Amino acid sequence: MTTPADVAIRVAEPPQVAHRRRRTAPFAIVLAAAAWSTVGPAMAFLPASASPPGVVAARMAAGGALFVVVAGGRSMVRDVRATPRGVLLAVTAAVAMAGYQTAYVTAMHLNGVAVGTVVSMTSIPLFGGLLVAVTSGRRPSRVWLAATGAAAGASALLAGGADGRGLSALGVLCGLAAGLAYAVFTMASHTVIRRGCPSRSMMAAAFAGAGVLMSPLLVTARAWLATPSGVAVVGYLATVATVGAYVLFGRGLEGTPATTAATLVLVEPAFATVIGLLLLHEPATARTLAGLAAMALALALFTVRPRRAGRRPVRGAVPAQGGPSRAPRPGEQDVPAGAADGNHPEPASNAPRA
């Protein structure tokens, strides 16, 4: 459904600018994933007394506060309130982000980093596609299925297998809950942004809310948060891995279908692997190379194909031959009725990770 805000944006934004922004949007999400991949190496510099829940809470609190400063508190509130159902969707995104962080950390604690990461990350695009299918009735496109399968397989290869201990059923459920929560976060954020709310305002509202919800966990960070290394690492996580990364992620959501964004975040393990190979001198095994190749294939499918989006028939427009028009599928660029130039894709309404 095209809202007045969508129309206003299309009028204010020249066609060539909108087209360029849409073409570069997937790369903004990839850059965000690159920033998220540095979280693990950065946390290695924390004091030994630092606990994962405390680190997550400190990151959310500091990142949320910094986001509000960057976006401007009054502007953030005004932008969200001016968007149809913006407040409800912003609250939904905040709760989903807090739930994602909590469930993800718990999954890694119960089943180890490798298995926890694989279950959580690979379930994000699956839940994202399912949410779109349920809410819109659209079936996933074959390209989306192929790219998602390649990215999920690459993540499994790059993360490796279990660490020798039995799997915890609760840990698997927490990983699935993390994937579902992130899918909801991306869907809610994508919807608000595509209805005309500036991406920085939406991200600021979501992370400020998540920081408030997770603030009780800060009691576990009192022992190390005031140390020099604690301040430095939390500062990096808040500025680069949270605000910087999610500014890019919000920018990517402006021109990328939510289902595509949910799959592109799976590139994060690939970046983490490259960091390990280049900086930590980890061995390049056949498993690692196969994972990187599969991820490259998924990225090619998602970053090259959108350039042909303008050749698809416009939804809602009358075909030249008078035949019925086909509704876009998840993973394809959606074009609102009446926007024959394809300037502003309508939200596919759907899932960062990290």
Side-chain angles (χ1 to χ4, degrees), residues 22-241:
R22 188 169 66 249
R23 288 180 58 177
T24 59
F27 298 100
I29 297 177
V30 170
L31 288 177
W36 293 328
S37 68
T38 64
V39 171
M43 291 179 63
F45 294 95
L46 285 171
S49 59
S51 64
V55 175
V56 171
R59 176 189 175 188
M60 289 293 102
L66 183 57
F67 242 132
V68 172
V69 173
V70 171
R74 292 184 179 180
S75 298
M76 174 194 72
V77 174
R78 182 178 63 251
D79 292 338
V80 172
R81 291 183 63 182
T83 305
R85 296 185 181 179
V87 174
L88 175 61
L89 290 170
V91 171
T92 300
V95 173
M97 175 52 67
Y100 164 75
Q101 295 289 343
T102 303
Y104 182 62
V105 169
T106 304
M108 290 192 297
H109 173 72
L110 294 176
N111 278 334
V113 174
V115 175
T117 299
V118 168
V119 175
S120 301
M121 293 299 295
T122 57
S123 64
I124 292 174
L126 299 180
F127 279 121
L130 179 62
L131 287 173
V132 170
V134 170
T135 57
S136 68
R138 305 177 194 144
R139 294 178 301 171
S141 67
R142 285 175 292 183
V143 171
W144 182 85
L145 289 173
T148 298
S155 295
L157 288 171
L158 294 173
D163 55 6
R165 62 184 180 184
L167 292 180
S168 164
L170 179 59
V172 173
L173 289 176
C174 287
L176 294 175
L180 176 60
Y182 204 90
V184 172
F185 164 77
T186 304
M187 170 182 275
S189 301
H190 181 269
T191 302
V192 174
I193 291 170
R194 303 308 293 277
R195 288 180 178 177
C197 180
S199 59
R200 290 191 181 186
S201 296
M202 175 57 208
M203 291 296 162
F207 276 87
V212 171
L213 291 173
M214 301 191 70
S215 59
L217 294 177
L218 287 174
V219 296
T220 64
R222 290 180 299 179
W224 59 267
L225 189 54
T227 63
S229 59
V231 172
V233 172
V234 171
Y236 173 82
L237 295 178
T239 56
V240 177

